[in-house]
Amino acid sequence: MPEGDTVWLAAQRLHERMAGHIITASDFRWPSLATASVTGQTLLEVVPRGKHLLFRFDDGRTLHTHFRMEGSWHLYQQADRWKGGPEVRAVIRTADWVAVGYRLPVMEILSTADESSAVGHLGPDILGPDWDLHGVLANLRSRPERAIGMALLDQRNLAGIGNIYRTEALFLASVHPATPVGLVPDLVAVVEHARRLMERNKARPSQSTTGEEGFGRAHYVFERGRKPCRRCGSSIRVGQQADDLGEKHVSLLGPGAAGAPRLTYWCPTCQRR
């Protein structure tokens, strides 16, 4: 599940191996980019912005991609074999490396000067050089009645955090996901828990929040519905959360509930409503 740390690591690897090199071939398997090419351009840098990835070239253009739920970029050496097929959306080659974009739901080429049209709406990047805790707190507090679990997922408040880290941060801060932002006792702690966990994981593919590895051990509550809480032993609750459910921000609803609900997990004892 790509979150800001996954995108950060992808950008780091792509930048280290391909930045400063001339693109020897490019292939964009996307209707609006069918005739587009960056062949012959020098890749200046690869930059993460929340869950967005920006490839900046020396001709003043940027390739903008977004991972959403399933997208990814893989790196291969020229001699390596890599999986092709309809899942491939982009192929970018240098003399030594091949970057292959799989299942990318968003891809466009725009002027580097106009990047704000793609990422200008984002709040401070939780892993970026523009990190601004006070700005994030002001963004969150601008809607004090909003459930904290949904406010954390709003990329306009802070960019990069996703379902794993908002769920785990709320557990560590002992805050129920349906708590209105204005009633969260320590909003700084919630945000800093998320940032600390993501900083710890950004340089590795694992998204462990407990320090352990393996299914059922890597997280405190995320994807541990109905299993015992690692802190108190209570059965972890699992439900769906959406912005427009009124007082029932978190409830055991079926698929298709209004407001595009997101799965959430919490301990009823450690995170009392």
Side-chain angles (χ1 to χ4, degrees):
M1 181 178 296
E3 299 202 20
D5 55 339
T6 302
V7 178
W8 187 96
L9 182 57
Q12 186 80 359
R13 289 174 171 174
L14 288 161
H15 181 85
E16 288 178 352
R17 292 162 177 80
M18 300 182 74
H21 295 275
I22 295 173
I23 305 303
T24 58
S26 61
D27 179 14
F28 300 112
R29 303 173 188 181
W30 193 261
S32 62
L33 299 181
T35 60
S37 173
V38 293
T39 303
Q41 307 305 317
T42 297
L43 178 61
L44 299 179
E45 59 184 345
V46 183
V47 179
R49 185 72 174 86
K51 299 182 183 182
H52 301 252
L53 204 57
L54 303 170
F55 296 73
R56 293 172 178 155
F57 300 94
D58 66 342
D59 65 348
R61 290 185 297 164
T62 294
L63 170 65
H64 164 234
T65 68
H66 193 293
F67 285 35
R68 286 194 179 166
M69 297 300 292
E70 296 183 342
S72 64
W73 279 95
H74 293 193
L75 262 173
Y76 304 92
Q77 291 184 300
Q78 286 289 0
D80 294 342
R81 296 185 63 182
W82 46 273
K83 181 181 177 182
E87 293 184 341
V88 175
R89 296 287 185 269
V91 181
I92 302 176
R93 296 178 181 269
T94 63
D96 299 315
W97 295 93
V98 183
V100 183
Y102 292 96
R103 299 179 302 277
L104 296 169
V106 175
M107 186 163 60
E108 62 177 339
I109 293 179
L110 65 161
S111 169
T112 301
D114 294 332
E115 284 180 359
S116 61
S117 65
V119 297
H121 65 287
L122 299 175
D125 189 335
I126 197 167
L127 295 178
D130 69 326
W131 176 245
D132 175 10
L133 176 61
H134 296 295
V136 168
L137 295 176
N139 291 343
L140 292 170
R141 288 168 177 157
S142 67
R143 289 187 59 188
E145 78 289 349
R146 193 179 191 188
I148 182 62
M150 295 308 294
L152 290 173
L153 290 178
D154 190 334
Q155 301 298 293
R156 296 169 298 181
N157 290 331
L158 70 167
I161 189 171
N163 210 21
I164 295 175
Y165 292 108
R166 67 107 178 203
T167 302
E168 296 290 278
L170 289 172
F171 172 79
L172 291 172
S174 300
V175 174
H176 192 285
T179 304
V181 170
L183 296 182
V184 174
D186 191 347
L187 195 57
V188 172
V190 173
V191 174
E192 289 293 2
H193 276 308
R195 186 165 184 261
R196 175 179 57 82
L197 293 173
M198 293 180 70
E199 282 281 357
R200 190 170 71 190
N201 286 325
K202 71 179 184 181
R204 60 181 187 176
S206 169
Q207 291 179 309
S208 171
T209 55
T210 63
E212 299 182 31
E213 301 293 340
F215 185 76
R217 305 202 326 265
H219 303 128
Y220 292 103
V221 292
F222 182 74
E223 291 188 337
R224 297 193 67 248
R226 302 177 181 83
K227 294 182 179 180
C229 174
R230 297 168 63 110
R231 181 186 287 165
C232 73
S234 298
S235 180
I236 298 298
R237 299 281 180 84
V238 57
Q240 301 208 38
Q241 183 171 30
D243 270 324
D244 62 347
L245 299 182
E247 294 298 318
K248 298 180 180 178
H249 284 292
V250 177
S251 58
L252 300 179
L253 297 176
R262 300 288 300 275
L263 275 180
T264 192
Y265 305 82
W266 74 99
C267 172
T269 301
C270 298
Q271 298 167 266
R272 292 187 183 278
R273 181 93 181 244

